Amino acid sequence: MKRLLLFCTTAALSICSQAQDLAGDLTLHRLLIPGEEWQLVVDKQGFVDAPCAGDDDNFYFSDMRSEQGIFRVTPDGKVEPFVKAKGVSGMKFAPDGRLYCAQGGQKRIIAIDPKTGETSVLATNVQPNDLVVAKNGHVYFTETGKKQVTLLIPKTGEVRAVDIGITAPNGITLSASQGTLAVSDYRGIHVWTFRVEENGDLSAKMPYMTMRTAPDTAASDNRMRAPDYKTASGGDGMATDTRGRFYVATTMGVQVFDPTARECGLLTKPSDKAITSVMLAGPKHEFLYVTAADKIFRRKVQGEGVLFFK
Amino acid sequence: MHLLIGLVALALSALSLPAVDDYRLSPDSHPQPGVPRGSVSKHSWESTNVFPGTVREYWVYVPQQYDKSRPACLMIFQDGSGYVSTNSQFRVPIVFDNLIHRGEMPVTIGIFVNPGTVPGSGGDHRSRPTRSFEYDTPDARYGRFLTEEFLPPIEQQFNITTNAAGRAVCGISSGAIGAFSAAWHFPDRYGKVVSHIGSFVNIRGGHVFPSQIRQLRDSASAEASPAAVRLRTQRLGLRVFLQDGTNDLDNLHGNWPLANQDMAAALKFAEMDFRFELGDGGHSGKHGGAIFSDTMRWLWRDWRESEAATAKGNSPTP
Amino acid sequence: MTFNFPLRPLRSALGAGLPPIYAALLLGVATLLCPTKARAIDDYKLGPLSMEQADVPKGRVIAHTNFASKVFTNTTRDWWVYVPAQYDAKKPANVMVFQDGHDYIGLKGAWRVPTVFDNLIHRGEMPVTIGIFINPGHQTSRGTLTNAWRASNRSVEYDSLGDRYSRFLIGEILPVVAKDFNLTTNAEGRAICGASSGGICAFTVAWERPDQFRKVLSTIGSFTDLRGGNLYPYLIRKTERKPLRVFLQDGANDLDNAFGNWPLANQMMAASLRYMDYDYKFVFGDGQHTSKHGASIFPETCRWLWRDWKEKGL
C-alpha cells in the first residue's frame, strides 16, 4: 500500500513541478524557453569579444584580430562591417549616440560616431578591458592588470580610480536602475557590487554574488568530504536585464543572478571553447549572445536587456 | 482492494478535518491582565564595517523586571520588525511579558534587528536589500556583524549576560539560517537557536550545515589546534529548535521540508540538544507563532539552574 | 508532532495533514485489507527474469584483468564485457556500464545482469546492449586485493565530483571495447549504472558528459558528503536541465552516518529532478544499504530505462 500511496501523491504533485515558486524567484524556468537552444550566429572570425546592444534590433561585436574591428549582425543573421576600430575588448553605446570602445592594446578609450565613423580619444594612458556607460555619461571601466575600476567623465575628461583591490576585475555592468555597479573577478569567485554615488564615486563594496567553479578534484584526493573548488571563476563579460538579473560569462557557462545576488542558475556553454562575454541584444533585446573564440552563439530567453544610455 | 482504500480515504476526508496550516495563537500570545509590560524602543543602525553602506532599523525590548544590577539574558531576532510587532504571528514582547512574569523564562532583553539595505543615491536609483547576502551566506560574516559591530553598544547600555547559554538567536526563513550561522560561528556568544521554516537550502550555499553538523562527531582531529577543539565542543553544546511544515517551499533553492529533516537528522546524529517540530504548514510564521511560547519554555527550560551556576562562577557553557 | 525516526518519505502518508485519529483509522482499515503477515524490511527477492531460461540465447562474457589506467595512475582493476547472442557487428550496439562490475556480472550473484539482459533482449524489452562491468581501481602499492569491495581507490574514483572518472571511462575503457565491438556513439543508447558510491559515480559521468551518456541507474546512491556529493540535489535545481533519463532507488532504512542520511539524500535528488522536469523515476522502499531491492526490480528498471528504444531506433 505504501508504494501505491507514494505513487498517488507523486502523481498529484507532478501536475506542476514548479507550483511553489515565489513571485520573486527568478528561476531557470522563468528564463529559458523550452526548445530555444544555443544557435550559431557568427562563425570563422578571428577572436570575438565586446558583444553590444544598440537602440535597434542589431547585435554588435568586435573581432579583435581583424583590421575592420567592429561588425554588426542584422536580425536576419547577416554579418556586416560597422565601424573601424582594432583590438576592442569592450564597447557600449553612450547617451551621446557614439560607441565607446576599450582599446587596451593602444592604452585608450575612444568614441566612434556611427554616422560619420569619426573617432575621438576620450582617455589615454589607461589599460581598459571592459566598460559600461551610464545614463549620465559616466564611463566605468576595468583595468584588470592594475586591479582597478576606473571612472571616466567625458564631459570634463576626468579619469580617476574608484576602486582598487579586486584580484582581476574584468566584466562590468550596472543594475537595471543604475544605482549599483557590478564587477566580475576573473581570478576570484565573486562579482563585487558598489553603490554608485552621484559624483561617480563607488561605496558599499561587497562580494555580493558568488560564482560557481568546478571541483579541484586532484587537490582533494587525500581526504573525504567536499572537495576544494577552483578559486578562479573565469568571470568575464556581464549583462543586465530589465528584471534586474545579472548575467556573467564564466568558465562553467553563463551564470545568472537575481537582483539580490541569489544564483538563478547556470546555462551550459554552447561549445567546449571558453566564453568571454555575454549580452542581451537583437530583436526586443531578448536574445542572449555569447562570444566564444571564433564563434558567436545566441538563444532566445525570457529576459529583456537594459540599454543603459536610455 | 486499492479502490476500497481509496473510497475509505475519500469518505474520511469528507469529515470535517482541520485545514492545512491551521494554527492558532495561544493565550500566551495575548496580553494578560496583571502582567507587567516591557518597553519597546525603535532605533536605526548604519553599518560601516561588516556591511558597509547599509542601513537598518532595530527595536529593543526591555522587560519591566530588568534590573541593572543583574545580568539579563539576551535574544536576538532577525527580520526583527516581524517578531516585534504585537499583531503579527509571533508577538514576542507579549509572549515575553507573560512568560517572564510566570518565571517560565528568564528576564530577557529582546533585540529585533532588520536586515540591511543599501539606499539609492538619488535619481531613480533604487535601494538594494542585502538581506539574502547577510542571512543566506553560511560564513561568519553575519555573526561578525552582530558580535563585533552591532551588539557592543547595546551591551554597553544594558547589563547582559556573557554566558552563551543565556544568549539566544532566532529567525524565520533566511533569518533562521542567519541566526544558525551566527551561533555556529560564534557558539561562545550564542548558545541557543530558534529556527522557523529555516532556509537550510542553497540560496547561497547554506545546504552545507547538515554535513558540517555530522562532522562534529568526528573527534579524530588529534592535530587540531586547541581553538578548533574548543569550537567543536561549543558547537556540540548548542541548543537548537527547528520548526517546519510539510507544505513548505520546494523551489530553485531547494526543498525546505527535506532540508529541515536533513538538519534534524544531522543534529540527532551529532547527539545535540535539539527539538524538531514538523507540522503541515507552508512558508509562513503561523505554526511557529502558534507554538512560540512552548518553544520558549523548551528553550529556556533550565534557566534557573543555568543562572545559579553562572552566579557561582562556574558557567555551564562548554 | 515531534519528529520520529526512522525518517518517513516526505508526503508519503496519505493525507499528511490528517490528525492522528484519522491516520490510525486509515491504517487500521488498510491492515484489515492486507491480511498477509507483516514482512521483514528489505525482504526483496529476485524474479524469473533474473533466472536463466532454457529457451533464451545466452550472451558471452569476456574477462579482462589488470587494467592500467593513465587517469588513475598506479592502479589495477579487473573488468568484463558482456556481448549478447544477438550482437551483430554490422549494427552499432548500445552500451551499459556498471561500476563495481564484479557485483553485477556473476550469474549467481546479487544482480545477474547477463541473465537479465539475455532475457530482456530476447523478449525485445531492451535493445541489443553490450555490458561493460568495471571494478574500482586498487593501488598497486597496496598489495594483492582479496575483496573487490575493498579496492583502495574506490572512493576517490566514485565519490569525487568532476570529470575525472568520465575521462577514465570515455578516454581509456570505451576505446578498448570499441576496438573489438561496434558500439553506438549515440548518447541515448549509452546507459550507466551503479550502487551506493557507484550510483553517484554513474550520475556524475552523465552529469559531466551528457554528450556521452544519457541514461542513469542509481541504487542506494551516495548523494551524501563522502566527497561533496550532497551538493547534487542543489546543483540540479540551478543548472540548465541536461538531457538525462534518471532512475533512482533507495530505502527508508538506508544509512544515516557521519556523511549524511541516504534516504533523505535520495528523496532530495528525486525532488530536484522533479522540480527541473527531468525524465526520472524514484522507487523508495524499505530496504537497507543493500542491493536486494535494486536487484529485485532490475528487469523492470531496465524496461523503464529502455522503454522507447524502438521508436528511438536504438
Side-chain angles (χ1 to χ4, degrees), chain C residues 81-84 86-88 90-98 117 121 125-133 174 177-178 181-192 212-215 305-306 308-310 312-314:
Chain C
V81 176
Y82 158 88
V83 185
Q86 297 84 345
Y87 169 72
D88 172 358
K90 291 196 287 293
K91 284 172 67 179
N94 295 290
V95 178
M96 192 155 173
V97 180
F98 296 81
F117 275 20
I121 294 170
E125 293 180 340
M126 66 177 276
V128 172
T129 302
I130 286 185
I132 302 173
F133 304 76
L174 290 185
V177 184
F181 299 100
N182 185 359
L183 305 181
T184 184
T185 53
N186 177 359
E188 301 275 355
R190 294 169 40 153
I192 184 156
Q212 295 280 335
F213 287 90
R214 292 194 176 173
K215 290 176 163 56
L305 210 57
W306 298 102
D308 50 2
W309 70 272
K310 285 179 185 161
K312 292 270 177 75
L314 302 177

Side-chain angles (χ1 to χ4, degrees), chain A residues 3-304:
Chain A
R3 264 171 241 171
L4 167 81
L5 296 178
L6 183 61
F7 170 78
C8 290
T9 45
T10 310
L13 286 167
S14 63
I15 292 164
C16 176
S17 47
Q18 294 94 40
Q20 287 183 306
D21 287 339
L22 301 174
D25 287 339
L26 296 173
T27 69
L28 285 176
H29 301 294
R30 290 178 177 160
L31 175 67
L32 299 177
I33 301 167
E36 294 284 350
E37 312 280 331
W38 291 115
Q39 292 176 325
L40 182 66
V41 286
V42 176
D43 198 4
K44 296 184 181 128
Q45 296 286 326
F47 188 86
V48 292
D49 204 351
C52 176
D55 199 6
D56 55 25
D57 291 346
N58 297 317
F59 164 75
Y60 301 83
F61 70 93
S62 149
D63 183 343
M64 295 188 66
R65 290 191 191 145
S66 94
E67 283 300 322
Q68 167 65 34
I70 316 291
F71 297 83
R72 72 176 174 200
V73 186
T74 61
D76 54 7
K78 227 165 54 204
V79 179
E80 46 193 43
F82 181 55
V83 290
K84 268 199 161 160
K86 247 192 105 176
V88 171
S89 57
M91 62 188 185
K92 295 284 182 325
F93 283 100
D96 62 14
R98 294 186 294 174
L99 184 66
Y100 289 12
C101 304
Q103 269 185 317
Q106 293 171 68
K107 294 189 173 239
R108 65 183 193 174
I109 289 178
I110 56 170
I112 306 171
D113 187 327
K115 293 190 195 78
T116 62
E118 187 192 330
T119 297
S120 341
V121 176
L122 300 181
T124 54
N125 271 325
V126 291
Q127 299 165 33
N129 183 338
D130 202 351
L131 59 76
V132 65
V133 186
K135 194 174 163 184
N136 63 4
H138 289 184
V139 182
Y140 292 93
F141 59 95
T142 50
E143 298 196 75
T144 309
K146 288 159 75 177
K147 301 177 192 283
Q148 183 172 311
V149 180
T150 311
L151 168 68
L152 157 67
I153 303 178
K155 257 185 221 160
T156 59
E158 184 184 355
V159 176
R160 68 174 196 266
V162 280
D163 180 71
I164 296 174
I166 297 172
T167 315
N170 193 322
I172 189 163
T173 192
L174 289 159
S175 62
S177 81
Q178 308 202 11
T180 298
L181 183 79
V183 178
S184 66
D185 184 354
Y186 188 83
R187 286 199 278 133
I189 58 168
H190 293 117
V191 173
W192 294 77
T193 56
F194 304 86
R195 180 184 198 243
V196 177
E197 304 289 341
E198 279 179 287
N199 69 356
D201 283 350
L202 300 179
S203 63
K205 180 181 183 180
M206 284 181 209
Y208 207 42
M209 296 165 236
T210 306
M211 292 176 282
R212 218 192 271 181
T213 61
D216 193 351
T217 310
S220 318
D221 276 355
N222 293 327
R223 57 177 172 81
M224 301 298 277
R225 303 293 178 184
D228 296 328
Y229 283 83
K230 289 182 179 156
T231 53
S233 62
D236 210 317
M238 293 189 69
T240 308
D241 75 17
T242 53
R243 299 193 70 174
R245 280 182 288 220
F246 295 103
Y247 301 72
V248 201
T250 72
T251 303
M252 296 201 78
V254 178
Q255 301 197 37
V256 187
F257 296 88
D258 78 7
T260 66
R262 303 182 299 180
E263 186 192 351
C264 304
L266 171 72
L267 276 53
T268 310
K269 280 191 300 188
S271 74
D272 290 344
K273 293 284 189 327
I275 53 175
T276 49
S277 196
V278 59
M279 185 52 55
L280 285 152
K284 293 186 181 171
H285 305 98
E286 286 179 343
F287 289 83
L288 190 66
Y289 287 81
V290 292
T291 51
D294 60 336
K295 295 180 176 59
I296 294 172
F297 299 84
R298 77 168 195 187
R299 69 194 295 175
K300 193 159 191 282
V301 293
Q302 305 173 65
E304 183 190 342

Side-chain angles (χ1 to χ4, degrees), chain B residues 59 78-86 88-91 112 114:
Chain B
W59 291 258
Q78 290 23 262
D79 289 312
S81 55
Y83 282 99
V84 78
S85 159
T86 49
S88 71
Q89 287 152 329
F90 289 100
R91 310 181 175 197
F112 303 80
N114 275 356

Side-chain angles (χ1 to χ4, degrees), chain A residues 1 4 20-22 25 27 177-180 193 195-196 198 204 206-208 210 225 260-264, chain B residues 2 5 52 54 118-121 124-126 128-130 132-133 141 203-204 211 215 247-252:
Chain A
M1 191 184 87
L4 167 81
Q20 287 183 306
D21 287 339
L22 301 174
D25 287 339
T27 69
S177 81
Q178 308 202 11
T180 298
T193 56
R195 180 184 198 243
V196 177
E198 279 179 287
M206 284 181 209
Y208 207 42
T210 306
R225 303 293 178 184
T260 66
R262 303 182 299 180
E263 186 192 351
C264 304
Chain B
H2 291 157
I5 295 174
T54 61
V118 177
S121 59
D124 47 11
H125 292 181
R126 278 185 226 134
R128 174 163 52 89
T130 50
S132 177
F133 179 65
R141 196 181 298 256
I203 298 178
R204 296 180 62 96
S211 170
Q215 290 174 53
N247 292 298
D248 201 353
L249 296 175
D250 177 80
N251 67 16
L252 77 162

Side-chain angles (χ1 to χ4, degrees), chain C residues 230-241:
Chain C
N230 56 327
L231 182 61
Y232 272 133
Y234 294 102
L235 275 188
I236 290 167
R237 291 170 186 264
K238 294 194 175 185
T239 304
E240 181 177 0
R241 186 178 66 234

Side-chain angles (χ1 to χ4, degrees), chain B:
Chain B
M1 184 186 84
H2 291 157
L3 181 69
L4 196 52
I5 295 174
L7 285 173
V8 172
L10 203 67
L12 282 172
S13 65
L15 302 174
S16 63
L17 296 176
V20 160
D21 204 7
D22 184 18
Y23 296 101
R24 304 256 157 80
L25 293 179
S26 78
D28 293 331
S29 302
H30 298 285
Q32 302 298 331
V35 172
R37 301 271 188 93
S39 68
V40 175
S41 55
K42 187 180 176 184
H43 312 267
S44 67
W45 183 264
E46 284 181 38
S47 176
T48 51
N49 180 20
V50 181
F51 300 116
T54 61
V55 296
R56 74 196 65 221
E57 291 178 329
Y58 70 99
W59 291 258
V60 178
Y61 160 87
V62 184
Q64 211 176 94
Q65 297 87 342
Y66 169 68
D67 170 358
K68 191 149 182 97
S69 68
R70 293 166 64 101
C73 289
L74 175 72
M75 192 153 176
I76 305 159
F77 295 83
Q78 290 23 262
D79 289 312
S81 55
Y83 282 99
V84 78
S85 159
T86 49
N87 52 19
S88 71
Q89 287 152 329
F90 289 100
R91 310 181 175 197
V92 176
I94 295 170
V95 176
F96 275 23
D97 285 344
N98 289 331
L99 266 54
I100 293 170
H101 178 63
R102 295 207 296 263
E104 293 178 340
M105 66 177 279
V107 172
T108 302
I109 289 184
I111 307 290
F112 303 80
V113 56
N114 275 356
T117 46
V118 177
S121 59
D124 47 11
H125 292 181
R126 278 185 226 134
S127 66
R128 174 163 52 89
T130 50
R131 180 174 184 265
S132 177
F133 179 65
E134 295 182 7
Y135 290 167
D136 295 316
T137 318
D139 64 12
R141 196 181 298 256
Y142 185 69
R144 269 181 46 224
F145 165 75
L146 287 183
T147 310
E148 294 167 9
E149 181 179 321
F150 173 73
L151 283 177
I154 296 170
E155 289 167 322
Q156 286 285 310
Q157 194 187 343
F158 297 100
N159 186 357
I160 293 174
T161 182
T162 54
N163 177 0
R167 298 161 62 103
V169 283
C170 173
I172 182 166
S173 189
S174 290
I177 191 173
F180 184 86
S181 273
W184 182 256
H185 294 289
F186 294 87
D188 57 329
R189 303 297 186 107
Y190 317 103
K192 292 176 161 60
V193 183
V194 173
S195 159
H196 297 122
I197 54 166
S199 304
F200 297 97
V201 292
N202 180 31
I203 298 178
R204 296 180 62 96
H207 61 282
V208 297
F209 280 128
S211 170
Q212 292 189 4
I213 292 165
R214 283 172 188 271
Q215 290 174 53
L216 291 178
R217 276 274 292 271
D218 175 15
S219 58
S221 30
E223 73 278 14
S225 64
V229 171
R230 195 164 56 241
L231 183 64
R232 172 176 172 267
T233 312
Q234 287 167 344
R235 283 175 173 171
L236 279 168
L238 291 173
R239 175 176 293 177
V240 182
F241 178 91
L242 300 171
Q243 171 272 327
D244 200 37
T246 49
N247 292 298
D248 201 353
L249 296 175
D250 177 80
N251 67 16
L252 77 162
H253 308 300
N255 178 299
W256 268 246
L258 285 172
N260 276 277
Q261 289 178 64
D262 205 19
M263 281 293 284
L267 292 165
K268 183 181 164 69
F269 178 79
E271 297 173 354
M272 287 168 69
D273 180 5
F274 82 104
R275 182 165 162 185
F276 180 38
E277 291 287 338
L278 182 65
D280 61 11
H283 200 65
S284 84
K286 279 175 78 178
H287 184 194
I291 61 171
F292 185 65
S293 62
D294 277 344
T295 306
M296 289 301 99
R297 278 187 277 269
W298 177 84
L299 195 72
W300 298 104
R301 64 188 184 273
D302 50 2
W303 71 271
R304 287 182 203 276
E305 296 95 291
S306 177
E307 192 169 82
T310 312
K312 268 193 271 165
N314 45 0
S315 149
T317 311

